[in-house]
Amino acid sequence: ELLADIYSQLRSNDYGLTAGCIVLESGRANSELLRRVIEDFPDINEERDVDYPGKTSYGVLLAQHQDTPLEVLGLLSESPYYLVRERLAMRADLPKNIAERLARDESRFVRQVLASNPNLSAEELQVLATDTEPAVRLKVAIHPCASAQLLRLLGQDALAIVAMSAQSAPGSLA
């Protein structure tokens, strides 16, 4: 309640999106307050200059907030800003449809972060195991959920570090 009051006061004093970012960055915004901020600032994929100490973007803050609604996460997965999509890829509770989209993301950084997510499905790992970026394949080779089949595939990788990592992974003997 105190955070909601602070947000209201900041909004009424023309602090705009900065007030919303401060609320999100606090990590203490409940679902109701989060929805209020999103309603006040519906352009979630528009980057704006935010003048406050952390200066983390609104999209990044929404991507990492545990109570961000699924429909908003879906919109964020289409953000033109790779840092927003990268933050999404870190989520332990990443919805399958968003993980599938991010596995084919144009940014190698997003795919690399996603390949480190411990909650990926076999399908997403399969897509990432054939990635053109060696760092992504390496992350799959050391992923705790990589199947023996994937590890055999990666054990034949053209890049020695990927092949050796896959060959020495605990699941490679299965």
Side-chain angles (χ1 to χ4, degrees):
E1 245 179 73
L2 178 60
L3 191 57
D5 289 343
I6 291 170
Y7 175 69
S8 294
Q9 288 177 12
L10 288 171
R11 282 280 291 140
S12 66
N13 288 321
D14 287 333
Y15 283 97
L17 185 58
T18 300
C21 288
I22 290 170
V23 164
L24 292 173
E25 196 162 54
S26 76
R28 299 187 183 274
N30 60 24
S31 298
E32 182 181 319
L33 182 54
L34 178 66
R35 287 187 193 282
R36 187 170 147 201
V37 171
I38 293 169
E39 286 173 12
D40 287 348
F41 304 101
D43 298 329
I44 61 172
N45 283 326
E46 181 181 318
E47 284 294 300
R48 303 179 185 132
D49 291 330
V50 178
D51 187 23
Y52 75 100
K55 293 193 179 181
T56 302
S57 80
Y58 179 53
V60 166
L61 291 168
L62 283 174
Q64 70 189 20
H65 197 284
Q66 66 185 22
D67 293 326
T68 299
L70 288 175
E71 64 272 12
V72 173
L73 294 178
L75 293 172
L76 290 169
S77 72
E78 299 170 0
S79 173
Y81 305 100
Y82 84 91
L83 290 173
V84 172
R85 299 187 318 273
E86 191 176 84
R87 196 57 59 100
L88 272 178
M90 292 178 187
R91 291 181 68 107
D93 63 345
L94 188 64
K96 183 172 178 47
N97 64 325
I98 295 174
E100 289 170 353
R101 184 177 306 138
L102 295 179
R104 292 173 172 78
D105 196 273
E106 66 188 36
S107 169
R108 65 187 169 104
F109 300 114
V110 171
R111 297 188 316 272
Q112 188 174 344
V113 168
L114 181 67
S116 297
N117 189 315
N119 298 315
L120 292 181
S121 71
E123 294 84 16
E124 290 130 19
L125 285 171
Q126 177 68 44
V127 169
L128 294 167
T130 60
D131 199 280
T132 58
E133 179 62 36
V136 174
R137 296 192 312 274
L138 178 61
K139 293 287 186 177
V140 175
I142 61 174
H143 195 282
C145 298
S147 67
Q149 178 184 2
L150 271 185
L151 293 173
R152 279 192 297 278
L153 170 72
L154 291 169
Q156 304 301 313
D157 198 274
L159 190 63
I161 188 72
V162 174
M164 289 187 315
S165 296
Q167 292 165 5
S168 63
S172 66
L173 303 174

